[in-house]
Amino acid sequence: MTPKIVQKIKTAGINTLKSLWITTPILLAVIGLVGLFKTFITPQMIHTLFNKNVIHDTLIGTTAGAISVGQPFLSYIIGGELLQEGISMYAVTAFILSFVTLGIIQLPLEFSIFGARFTIVRNLLSIIFAILIAWITVITLHYLHGFFT
Amino acid sequence: MSQKKSTAKKSGMIMLSIVILLYIILYFYAPQKIFASLHANLKLLKMIAPILLIVFFLMALLNSFIDEKSIAKHLGKESGVKGWFIALFGGILSHGPGYIWYPMLEELRKKGALDGLIVAFLYARSIKLPWLPLMISYFGITFTLVLSFYVVLGAFIQGIITNMLERK
């Protein structure tokens, strides 16, 4: 290894540690909030938000997904239960999508790293596309179901 | 430390202080739940620590061996189809919570990666390969395939919209 490469690695290591040092407080804050949400916001609370009106439930599904935190499989379990209770597939799909693409509690972190403009554009697009993809997925499934039966 | 970095550190410290204060207040209201939250935090930290190490190792590599020119070539304005391919498949294959990828993605942006590709990467992350079998068992294979297809398409369209907004 040439001294030039060693120097490059050294500088890169220092820069990376600096980035880690800057990110650590807000990362710990987000982890702390995730822990609080996991304990205080229960799946039962999410259930009570739906009222079986398709448009209302799709919007609620998107919002509930955005405020929920946890591993993706949690959204499948909650989504599966909501379906069994008669909540529309539109709402459940929107919920599953926004669960993984939106995160209200990580917004401050996103904001501080990427800046306001990028964060606003990305999150607005994610909200719109959670609703759009939910609708188009369910419509496609209806067509496919009709096609194969 | 640059102005932006110092602001980021300051806002991070403020937010951490607010969260600690929240824990202290809620401890008097529901101590059991606070212990459960702390337990959940520890579990999450254990889960993300290895991924975080990988992300920061990748950042170090990025800083030392990949210059602005090659980022511009692979993820910049001249990247074309290859750039979309890297962003979409990178997103699908990436693990862990999205926020641990933010510092590395910002590093790529600084070096000239297109915002649209970063947006596409983050959206494509909603396809969670390890969890697909569970999704299939809950909602069926047709639903999973159709949703995954639209997620990739959606990620691509969002990327294009972001790039169009960027040009304005």
Side-chain angles (χ1 to χ4, degrees):
Chain A
M1 232 187 271
T2 64
K4 203 180 162 192
I5 292 180
V6 173
Q7 184 55 41
K8 245 183 165 182
I9 293 173
K10 216 172 145 185
T11 320
I14 292 167
N15 284 341
T16 308
L17 281 177
K18 269 188 195 163
S19 298
L20 183 66
W21 177 242
I22 290 162
T23 322
T24 300
I26 201 148
L27 202 60
L28 286 177
V30 168
I31 290 169
L33 281 178
V34 169
L36 282 183
F37 268 73
K38 267 186 183 165
T39 325
F40 284 88
I41 310 283
T42 60
Q44 287 73 28
M45 284 180 188
I46 295 169
H47 280 224
T48 56
L49 297 171
F50 295 89
N51 73 1
K52 295 188 182 171
N53 171 301
V54 174
I55 295 171
H56 169 272
D57 282 357
T58 307
L59 294 174
I60 288 293
T62 311
T63 316
I67 57 166
S68 305
V69 289
Q71 290 284 331
F73 73 87
L74 266 177
S75 70
Y76 307 158
I77 296 169
I78 299 170
E81 284 170 15
L82 288 172
L83 268 184
Q84 277 180 1
E85 284 173 22
I87 305 298
S88 74
M89 195 69 187
Y90 297 103
V92 172
T93 312
F95 173 74
I96 292 170
L97 268 173
S98 66
F99 193 94
V100 282
T101 55
L102 289 161
I104 283 178
I105 60 167
Q106 70 209 35
L107 269 183
L109 177 71
E110 193 171 343
F111 191 87
S112 80
I113 292 180
F114 294 123
R117 188 187 154 91
F118 180 92
T119 306
I120 292 167
V121 168
R122 192 194 82 77
N123 282 280
L124 277 180
L125 284 173
S126 287
I127 294 170
I128 296 166
F129 273 79
I131 298 166
L132 276 179
I133 293 177
W135 277 77
I136 200 164
T137 299
V138 179
I139 290 168
T140 307
L141 285 173
H142 278 305
Y143 274 112
L144 285 176
H145 189 70
F147 185 75
F148 288 115
T149 52
Chain B
M1 213 182 276
S2 70
Q3 180 78 29
K4 198 185 168 194
K5 277 182 177 175
S6 133
T7 316
K9 175 91 181 156
K10 217 165 141 187
S11 57
M13 289 306 288
I14 293 170
M15 187 158 164
L16 184 60
S17 312
I18 293 171
V19 172
I20 292 170
L21 198 69
L22 210 59
Y23 268 80
I24 295 169
I25 295 167
L26 289 171
Y27 174 78
F28 294 107
Y29 165 71
Q32 287 305 321
K33 283 194 169 179
I34 287 300
F35 283 121
S37 300
L38 288 171
H39 185 69
N41 294 347
L42 210 66
K43 253 175 90 178
L44 184 62
L45 259 176
K46 271 188 198 163
M47 188 199 86
I48 67 168
I51 312 166
L52 207 58
L53 278 178
I54 294 171
V55 171
F56 281 96
F57 176 71
L58 286 175
M59 271 176 76
L61 282 182
L62 200 73
N63 270 323
S64 46
F65 296 110
I66 301 170
D67 56 11
E68 277 82 354
K69 259 189 194 166
S70 56
I71 295 288
K73 191 179 163 200
H74 297 294
L75 295 168
K77 280 179 188 146
E78 46 198 278
S79 60
V81 181
K82 201 200 313 172
W84 290 107
F85 190 82
I86 295 171
L88 294 171
F89 280 88
I92 294 169
L93 295 174
S94 65
H95 280 285
Y99 53 82
I100 60 174
W101 292 92
Y102 291 173
M104 195 190 90
L105 296 174
E106 177 58 12
E107 207 67 41
L108 287 170
R109 276 180 85 208
K110 275 189 212 150
K111 285 179 183 273
L114 285 173
D115 277 3
L117 294 182
I118 307 289
V119 166
F121 174 93
L122 287 169
Y123 205 81
R125 284 180 38 79
S126 50
I127 297 176
K128 305 283 184 189
L129 287 183
W131 297 113
L132 281 188
L134 191 73
M135 191 188 237
I136 292 169
S137 78
Y138 265 96
F139 305 104
I141 192 154
T142 319
F143 173 85
T144 308
L145 287 176
V146 171
L147 182 67
S148 302
F149 169 75
Y150 284 128
V151 164
V152 176
L153 189 66
F156 176 65
I157 296 170
Q158 284 179 65
I160 288 179
I161 294 172
T162 308
N163 285 343
M164 280 164 66
L165 290 173
E166 199 62 24
R167 268 183 229 131
K168 282 186 180 169

